[in-house]
């Protein structure tokens, strides 16, 4: 920016000139059907931007365009051809100046006259090199969609990696079974039958193991690269709100200096990243709001002293997210809007005295927003044409937003521009509740805690927990999302959230971490309740809900969401047996006893399932194809994530050496199928699960 201070101004000015050209042609061809008002707004915006980067010649040209078109603003008369020609000459002069801005060998103030340089084909400024490319939003979205689809294909490869891993386990088992028991592994040079069997099996084990490592490593690397690429592509669509602050502060300072006023400018919320298209539209509106605050609101130092204020007026600008809208607010501590001056201006515009007398303060402010009315006594470079708030209203309508203006005599004015969110980058806390992964904006999270069942108090108005010596409403999120009641025992992660309307404690199943992610609005045809603020995409491109902190606090306070009695906890048990009859029998017995039961048809499949879900107990058959029950128990005892889960072997083997082998492997119980007793089974596993 230091090497080229006009980089962004050239882009903005070129876009404005393009719009100017189209609007002037429409004015000439179709008559004055709102085109003059549009041209006045464009000229006003260009003039303000040129003043910020200290280009008085361009600002004067835009001001001259305003003077040419102002008499035709009301649309009652057509614009003569000579006035249109005058506007085009001003546009040509401005366009010729743009390529020279920032040139190292040609200062902007020394740009050659139009007659000294041949005009390139395509009009003034057509020879300016293109150094910045603006992609269409649709093209960026197509890129992101393509990345999401590619990521989904990579996730499909992960299933292949798991299949190769299972093949590796089988190859290892084949190699172990082909080796002689109780004897050294045969040499590859040996001609014995054992060597001929063991050699290929060992080669297969090594080959599959190497394939598993290489494939897994490659998929992980592709996954990381795709995540980085998608993050970079998403950030291309977003611009920090803080990029506006320098322009707005310069606008405030330059306007104050031109009017011999003093100003203090403060801004907050610059870390929020927004869709560049929103900021491009909002910037012009904010420039007008700030300029109006200085020109019409802030008093001169002497007037402020007489009113008991500091000599320097203050302007506070804030950018904040509020639900599914982004709010830009500007407040000043000036004298407020002179409503009597607005009434006088309305009379000058032709309104009857009787009609003006009936106007309320809100009606007068709406007149200002409509445009064409100014409280300035004379037309100057800064104000007087009544265009400023018209620009604000037009920007709001273009984005589908709203403008709220509040004023108090002697205490200042606030203008709030609220627009719907398209994209915004936020820090979020990712949680899981009832199998649903969702996010909560991190700026609303005050703390997290592990709260047990005994820490939740039940009252007539609902449940609550104690936080910092005060009771806050408690919301069990799995019940809200899936109707699942809170368990009677154990403890759960709980997040304390606070918003302007209060605080709440929200219980969840798991905290998955924090992430900077992109919030997207929900489609208009898929509206959601107040609990949902928007949607996110996870690392694989799958949609996730972004929960509204305000909606969570409101839900925690609703009497109709008061919790019923918590449900008894259902401990998950994994039944592993290749026999359908045995699986179904054991599942029926355990579910009738209140356990949550999953089944697996092999030990290999059970290992894969156990790594994705936490179980309280394994009920394992011994004799199964592939890995048997003894090997399964040995495998989980060697796995740090599974070693503490109890396992009970169920088998037809009743020999003492089999029971001893089960104990040596690490089993906590041994049941012989021929001696099977339902009560004995439940009595054995109940103390193991606790």
């Amino acid at each position: 920016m230091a090497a080229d201070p006009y980089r962004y101004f050239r882009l903005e000015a070129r876009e404005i000139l393009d719009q100017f050209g189209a609007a002037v042609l429409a004015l000439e061809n179709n008559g004055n059907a709102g085109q003059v008002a549009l041209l006045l707004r464009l000229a006003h915006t260009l003039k303000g931007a040129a003043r910020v980067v200290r280009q008085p010649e361009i600002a004067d040209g835009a001001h001259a365009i305003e003077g040419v078109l102002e008499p035709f603003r009301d649309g009652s008369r057509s614009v003569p051809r000579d006035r249109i020609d005058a506007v085009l000459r001003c546009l040509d002069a401005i366009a010729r100046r743009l390529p020279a801005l920032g040139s190292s060998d040609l200062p902007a103030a020394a740009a050659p006259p139009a007659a000294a340089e041949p005009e390139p084909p395509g009009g003034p400024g057509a020879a300016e090199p293109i150094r910045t490319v603006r992609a269409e939003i649709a093209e960026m979205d197509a890129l992101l969609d393509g990345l999401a689809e590619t990521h989904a294909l990579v996730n499909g490869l992960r299933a292949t990696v798991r299949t190769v891993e299972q093949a590796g386990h089988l190859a290892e088992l084949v190699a172990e079974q082909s080796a002689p028991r109780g004897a050294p592994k045969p040499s590859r040079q040996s001609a014995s039958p054992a060597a001929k069997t063991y050699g290929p099996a060992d080669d297969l084990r090594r080959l599959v193991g190497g394939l598993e490592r290489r494939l897994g490593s490659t998929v992980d690397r592709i996954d990381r690269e795709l995540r980085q690429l998608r993050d970079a592509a998403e950030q291309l669509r977003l611009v920090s709100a803080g990029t506006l602050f320098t322009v707005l502060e310069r606008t405030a300072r330059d306007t104050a200096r031109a009017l011999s006023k003093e100003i203090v400018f403060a801004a907050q919320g610059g870390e929020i990243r927004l869709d560049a298209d929103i900021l491009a539209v909002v910037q012009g509106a904010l420039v007008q709001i700030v300029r109006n605050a200085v020109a019409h609101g802030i008093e001169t130092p002497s007037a402020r002293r007489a009113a008991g204020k500091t000599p320097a007026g203050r302007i506070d600008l804030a950018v904040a997210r509020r639900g599914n809208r982004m709010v830009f607010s500007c407040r000043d501590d000036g004298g407020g809007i002179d409503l009597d001056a607005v009434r006088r201006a309305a009379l000058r515009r032709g309104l009857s005295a009787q009609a003006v007398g009936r106007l309320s303060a809100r009606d007068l402010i709406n007149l200002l927003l409509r445009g064409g009315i100014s409280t300035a006594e004379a037309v100057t470079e800064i104000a007087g044409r009544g265009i400023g708030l018209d620009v604000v209203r037009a920007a709001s309508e273009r984005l589908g937003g709203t403008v709220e203006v509040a004023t108090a005599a002697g205490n200042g004015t606030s203008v709030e521009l609220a627009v719907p969110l398209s994209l915004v980058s936020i820090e979020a806390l990712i949680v899981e509740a009832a199998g649903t992964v969702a996010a909560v904006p991190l700026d609303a999270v005050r703390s997290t805690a592990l709260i047990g069942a005994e820490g939740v108090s039940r009252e007539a108005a609902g449940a609550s927990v104690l936080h910092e010596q005060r009771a806050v409403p408690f919301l069990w999120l799995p019940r809200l999302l899936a109707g699942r009641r809170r368990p009677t025992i154990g403890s759960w992660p709980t997040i304390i959230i606070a918003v302007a309307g209060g605080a709440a404690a929200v219980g969840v199943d798991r905290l998955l971490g924090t992430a900077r992610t992109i919030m997207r609005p929900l489609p208009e045809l898929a509206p959601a309740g107040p609990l949902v603020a928007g949607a996110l995409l996870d690392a694989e491109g799958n949609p996730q809900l972004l929960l509204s902190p305000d909606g969570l606090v409101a839900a925690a306070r609703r009497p109709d969401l008061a919790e019923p009695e918590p449900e008894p906890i259902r401990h998950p048990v994994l039944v592993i047996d290749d026999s359908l009859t045995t699986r179904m029998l054991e599942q029926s017995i355990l579910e009738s006893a209140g356990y949550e039961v999953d089944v697996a048809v092999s030990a290999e499949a059970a290992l894969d399932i156990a790594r994705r879900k936490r179980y309280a107990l394994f009920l394992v058959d011994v004799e199964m194809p592939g890995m048997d029950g003894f090997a399964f128990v040995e495998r989980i005892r060697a796995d740090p994530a599974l070693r503490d889960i109890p396992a009970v072997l169920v088998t037809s083997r009743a020999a003492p050496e089999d029971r001893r082998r089960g104990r040596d492997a690490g089993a906590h119980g041994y049941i012989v199928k021929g001696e099977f007793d339902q009560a004995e089974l439940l009595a054995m596993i109940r103390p193991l699960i606790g």
Side-chain angles (χ1 to χ4, degrees):
M1 187 67 180
D4 185 3
Y6 307 109
R7 174 184 175 189
Y8 297 111
F9 173 72
R10 281 199 304 272
L11 287 171
E12 181 183 17
R14 179 61 59 196
E15 289 182 352
I16 291 176
L17 290 180
D18 289 344
Q19 295 178 61
F20 248 125
V24 170
L25 291 176
L27 176 66
E28 185 174 32
N29 296 328
N30 305 323
N32 185 5
Q35 295 300 323
V36 169
L38 171 62
L39 290 169
L40 286 171
R41 287 197 296 269
L42 292 172
H44 202 64
T45 300
L46 179 60
K47 181 175 69 172
R51 293 293 183 197
V52 168
V53 296
R54 299 184 182 278
Q55 288 297 310
E57 292 84 358
I58 293 178
D60 290 344
H63 189 68
I65 292 175
E66 289 181 331
V68 170
L69 296 176
E70 173 62 25
F72 307 96
R73 176 180 187 138
D74 59 7
S76 60
R77 293 181 295 157
S78 60
V79 182
R81 179 61 182 272
D82 61 330
R83 296 295 184 100
I84 293 177
D85 290 341
V87 170
L88 291 174
R89 284 194 296 272
C90 290
L91 293 178
D92 291 344
I94 293 172
R96 281 193 291 269
R97 296 197 60 81
L98 289 181
L101 295 182
S103 174
S104 58
D105 58 352
L106 182 62
E117 58 178 10
E119 188 168 298
E128 180 181 359
I130 298 176
R131 299 186 181 274
T132 304
V133 177
R134 290 190 173 184
E136 290 288 337
I137 294 298
E139 295 173 353
M140 292 297 300
D141 286 341
L143 171 62
L144 290 171
D145 289 343
L147 289 173
E149 291 177 6
T150 306
H151 220 143
L153 295 175
V154 172
N155 289 331
L157 284 177
R158 291 195 180 279
T160 304
V161 174
R162 289 193 293 269
T163 301
V164 174
E165 182 182 359
Q166 293 174 2
H169 295 324
L170 291 174
E172 184 177 352
L173 181 62
V174 170
E176 290 177 355
Q177 291 179 345
S178 63
R181 292 186 180 274
K185 294 179 180 179
S187 169
R188 290 177 176 271
Q189 287 74 30
S190 173
S192 67
K196 291 181 179 179
T197 303
Y198 176 75
D202 190 48
D203 289 341
L204 177 62
R205 178 183 61 81
R206 294 184 182 184
L207 178 63
V208 175
L211 176 62
E212 176 192 342
R213 289 190 296 273
R214 290 193 300 273
L215 182 59
S217 174
T218 301
V219 170
D220 288 341
R221 190 162 59 249
I222 294 174
D223 180 76
R224 289 194 300 270
E225 294 293 337
L226 280 175
R227 292 187 187 195
Q228 295 174 3
L229 181 58
R230 200 187 74 181
D231 289 344
E234 286 181 329
Q235 294 303 321
L236 286 176
R237 286 202 58 182
L238 304 176
V239 179
S240 168
T243 58
L244 298 174
F245 294 168
T246 300
V247 172
L248 297 176
E249 184 172 6
R250 287 290 303 272
T251 298
R253 290 180 178 275
D254 291 348
T255 305
R257 188 176 297 111
L259 298 174
S260 300
K261 296 180 179 180
E262 298 178 13
I263 196 71
V264 174
F265 182 89
Q268 60 181 358
E271 72 282 356
I272 296 176
R273 295 179 64 85
L274 297 168
D275 193 321
D277 278 3
I278 287 182
L279 286 185
V281 176
V282 166
Q283 176 174 327
L286 292 178
V287 166
Q288 306 307 325
I289 292 172
V290 170
R291 184 179 289 125
N292 279 353
V294 178
H296 300 292
I298 301 299
E299 311 95 331
T300 62
S302 58
R304 290 181 63 85
R305 289 191 188 94
K309 299 180 180 180
T310 59
R314 182 178 180 87
I315 292 179
D316 290 290
L317 185 83
V319 182
R321 189 183 66 256
R322 188 181 300 164
N324 61 352
R325 300 177 84 79
M326 187 59 60
V327 179
F328 302 84
S329 59
C330 179
R331 293 177 173 83
D332 67 71
D333 67 345
I337 297 176
D338 188 345
L339 297 179
D340 290 334
V342 178
R343 286 190 172 90
R344 292 193 297 271
L347 289 172
R348 289 196 299 270
R349 295 291 295 181
L351 270 71
S352 67
Q354 184 178 7
V356 171
R358 290 197 301 265
L359 294 178
S360 64
R362 171 59 56 188
D363 295 332
L364 293 171
I365 290 174
N366 288 337
L367 274 180
L368 289 176
L369 288 171
R370 233 179 276 164
I373 290 182
S374 174
T375 58
E377 298 298 330
V379 175
T380 67
E381 294 283 335
I382 305 299
R385 298 191 188 276
I387 301 172
L389 286 180
D390 188 19
V391 174
V392 178
R393 177 191 54 75
S396 170
E397 291 177 351
R398 178 176 172 184
L399 296 173
T402 58
V403 181
E404 294 292 336
V405 181
T407 187
N411 292 320
T413 300
S414 68
V415 181
E416 190 173 273
L417 175 61
V419 299
L421 283 173
S422 55
L423 294 179
V424 61
S425 176
I426 64 169
E427 287 281 350
L429 176 64
I430 312 300
V431 303
E432 181 180 336
T436 298
V437 177
V440 179
L442 196 59
D443 57 8
V445 177
R446 295 297 172 261
S447 65
T448 61
L450 196 63
I451 294 180
E454 67 282 357
V456 180
S457 301
R458 294 182 55 81
E459 303 168 359
S464 64
V465 300
L466 194 64
H467 173 67
E468 295 182 349
Q469 307 305 313
R470 66 188 184 94
V472 297
F474 176 79
L475 177 68
W476 178 237
L477 190 58
R479 178 173 182 264
L480 203 61
L481 296 180
R484 202 185 80 199
R485 292 184 294 174
R486 179 169 54 86
T488 55
I489 62 175
S491 55
W492 335 276
T494 301
I495 57 176
I496 308 298
I497 57 176
V499 295
V506 181
V508 299
D509 290 328
R510 285 199 298 164
L511 300 179
L512 302 180
T514 61
R516 175 164 285 280
T517 185
I518 308 299
M519 173 184 170
R520 292 167 168 79
L522 293 175
E524 292 183 2
L525 297 180
L531 193 66
V532 179
L536 313 172
L537 293 180
D538 65 12
E540 286 74 34
N542 301 312
Q544 295 176 346
L545 296 179
L546 179 72
L547 301 179
S548 165
D550 296 278
L552 290 171
V553 172
R557 292 179 169 182
R558 284 174 52 186
D560 57 314
L561 290 179
E563 286 191 272
E565 286 298 324
E567 65 178 345
I569 189 168
R570 290 170 56 86
H571 296 286
V573 176
L574 181 61
V575 172
I576 310 160
D577 201 303
D578 62 326
S579 167
L580 174 63
T581 302
T582 305
R583 287 198 309 271
M584 294 299 100
L585 174 62
E586 293 173 348
Q587 182 178 14
S588 175
I589 293 172
L590 293 171
E591 287 181 341
S592 298
Y595 296 102
E596 176 188 334
V597 182
D598 292 333
V599 296
V601 299
S602 69
E604 291 83 3
L607 283 174
D608 185 54
I609 295 172
R611 292 189 178 102
R612 290 185 276 115
K613 180 176 178 179
R614 181 73 177 177
Y615 288 95
L617 180 111
F618 296 123
L619 199 61
V620 193
D621 183 24
V622 170
E623 296 178 291
M624 293 182 291
M627 187 188 307
D628 64 14
F630 295 131
F632 173 82
V633 176
E634 291 171 349
R635 184 70 66 86
I636 65 173
R637 293 294 167 256
D639 190 324
L642 305 175
R643 63 174 53 171
D644 59 335
I645 301 177
V648 174
L649 293 171
V650 181
T651 179
S652 57
R653 295 184 180 184
E657 58 269 23
D658 291 322
R659 293 176 183 271
R660 185 168 54 252
R661 185 180 177 189
R663 288 195 300 270
D664 293 343
H668 291 72
Y670 196 97
I671 296 178
V672 179
K673 291 182 179 179
E675 304 170 359
F676 184 84
D677 180 84
Q678 175 176 331
E680 179 186 351
L681 171 66
L682 296 177
M684 178 181 293
I685 68 175
R686 191 173 295 116
L688 295 177
I689 292 179

